[in-house]
Amino acid sequence: AGGLGLFLPDEQPAMSIGTRLVKVSVELDADTRLFADLELRHITALGKEARGVRLGLASTRLAADDARTLQRFIDTTQK
């Protein structure tokens, strides 16, 4: 619940550790969307076949309503 991982294809501009993304719209499914501020914490190479990298982003600000929405989504998904 504290962050997310994303795949960044090689065709996209590179990002640097510490990059902050403000008011990112995160769509978890067709009915669940929330907004969060994120900070890039790590970049992981995935190998030549992947043709991109994995980004590890931490949530730095999440409104209380969005935090509850996220927790409900996690609880439902785990069932």
Side-chain angles (χ1 to χ4, degrees):
L4 55 99
L6 296 175
F7 176 75
L8 181 68
D10 284 340
E11 305 85 48
Q12 298 301 313
M15 296 177 67
S16 301
I17 301 290
T19 298
R20 292 181 180 260
L21 306 170
V22 179
K23 293 186 181 178
V24 175
S25 174
V26 180
E27 187 174 316
L28 300 170
D29 64 23
D31 300 317
T32 311
R33 178 177 291 163
L34 53 90
F35 293 89
D37 289 357
L38 303 170
E39 182 178 326
L40 181 57
R41 296 285 175 89
H42 62 85
I43 302 170
T44 305
L46 298 174
K48 292 185 182 199
E49 293 104 32
R51 301 198 328 202
V53 295
R54 181 181 183 276
L55 305 179
L57 296 133
S59 176
T60 58
R61 188 172 65 174
L62 188 61
D65 286 346
D66 286 336
R68 284 189 291 280
T69 297
L70 177 58
Q71 190 58 57
R72 278 193 306 274
F73 178 81
I74 291 169
D75 292 345
T76 300
T77 302
Q78 288 179 341
K79 288 182 182 178

